Amino acid sequence: LQLNDIQHIFEKYFTDIDHVCSTAQHHIDEKFREISEHLQRQKQHLTQEINEWKLQRLEIINQEIANLHNNNNNNNDTHDSSNNEFSLQHIQSVTPLVNVRFDDAKTATLKQCISSLAEIEYKNSIHAPIITLFPPQIFVDKNDGFCVKNLKWNFSEFECTQIDKDDILIVCKRKTT
C-alpha cells in the first residue's frame, strides 16, 4: 500500500468511527426505550389495579356503613352474642387490605438480565477477501506468459456483493531465466 492509500484508509476510518458510534448509541436508546415502555405499562397496570380495588373497597364499606345504620334503626337495642360473632366474621370478610409482593429472585434475575442485555463487540474495520481460484479450463500459452479463460473463484470472509468480479485482473508472467 502506498502512503496516500494508508492515509485515505485512516481518514475514512474517522468517518466510520463517528457513524458506527452514532448508530450504536441510537440502537441502545431504542432497545432501552422499548424496555422502559414495557416496564412503565406494567407499572401503570398494577397501579390501576390497586386504584380500582381501592374504589371497590370504599364502595363496599360505605354500603356496609349504610346497612349498619339501617339495621340499627330497625333493631334499636338488640344485643345478641351470636350476631356479634357473625358481625366480626362479616367485618373480616369485607375489610381485606391489599399487599404488593415482589418476587426477589425474579427481580434479581431481571436486573442481571438487563445488566447483561447487550455486549459491546469490536470487529475489524478493514476487510479483505480471501480468494480461492479454481484451475482454469482453457489455456493460451504466449511468449511472455499465458492467458486463461473461464476462471472461477470463491470469496470467503467477505460479502461477494461488495466486489465487482469484472474489475479483477489477473496477470501471470513467466519467470525469465
Side-chain angles (χ1 to χ4, degrees):
L1 290 171
Q2 301 292 325
L3 180 62
N4 287 342
D5 294 332
I6 295 171
Q7 184 172 344
H8 176 72
I9 289 170
F10 286 147
E11 287 171 356
K12 184 182 177 311
Y13 184 64
F14 280 129
T15 305
D16 291 347
I17 290 172
D18 211 24
H19 174 73
V20 168
C21 288
S22 294
T23 301
Q25 289 168 349
H26 176 74
H27 190 63
I28 290 168
D29 289 344
E30 279 297 306
K31 284 297 175 187
F32 277 87
R33 183 190 56 75
E34 287 175 22
I35 293 167
S36 294
E37 285 176 357
H38 182 75
L39 288 171
Q40 190 63 33
R41 282 192 302 273
Q42 184 61 22
K43 177 185 169 190
Q44 289 170 348
H45 170 74
L46 291 171
T47 301
Q48 180 181 356
E49 192 173 324
I50 289 172
N51 287 336
E52 288 172 0
W53 178 88
K54 178 182 176 182
L55 291 174
Q56 180 187 29
R57 291 287 105 196
L58 292 174
E59 272 184 39
I60 289 172
I61 297 305
N62 283 331
Q63 185 61 46
E64 289 295 324
I65 291 171
N67 290 345
L68 184 63
H69 286 292
N70 286 340
N71 287 343
N72 192 28
N73 291 338
N74 293 341
N75 303 329
N76 241 349
D77 285 324
T78 309
H79 292 287
D80 183 359
S81 65
S82 64
N83 193 17
N84 284 341
E85 193 173 304
F86 172 76
S87 295
L88 182 58
Q89 287 176 349
H90 180 70
I91 289 170
Q92 287 175 336
S93 72
V94 296
T95 58
L97 295 176
V98 71
N99 184 35
V100 177
R101 184 182 59 81
F102 286 92
D103 185 323
D104 291 338
K106 286 182 182 177
T107 301
T109 301
L110 178 61
K111 288 177 181 178
Q112 184 179 9
C113 286
I114 289 173
S115 296
S116 62
L117 184 65
E119 292 179 12
I120 296 175
E121 295 177 342
Y122 303 95
K123 59 183 184 176
N124 290 334
S125 64
I126 299 174
H127 301 282
I130 296 173
I131 303 173
T132 305
L133 294 174
F134 296 100
Q137 294 178 358
I138 299 174
F139 291 76
V140 176
D141 200 353
K142 295 189 175 187
N143 292 340
D144 61 344
F146 56 91
C147 292
V148 292
K149 292 185 180 179
N150 297 329
L151 280 179
K152 293 183 182 178
W153 56 81
N154 280 340
F155 292 100
S156 60
E157 299 181 21
F158 206 73
E159 300 251 344
C160 289
T161 57
Q162 296 177 352
I163 297 174
D164 185 357
K165 295 176 185 176
D166 295 332
D167 288 341
I168 296 176
L169 174 65
I170 299 174
V171 177
C172 303
K173 296 236 180 202
R174 286 183 206 256
K175 289 184 180 179
T176 55
T177 54

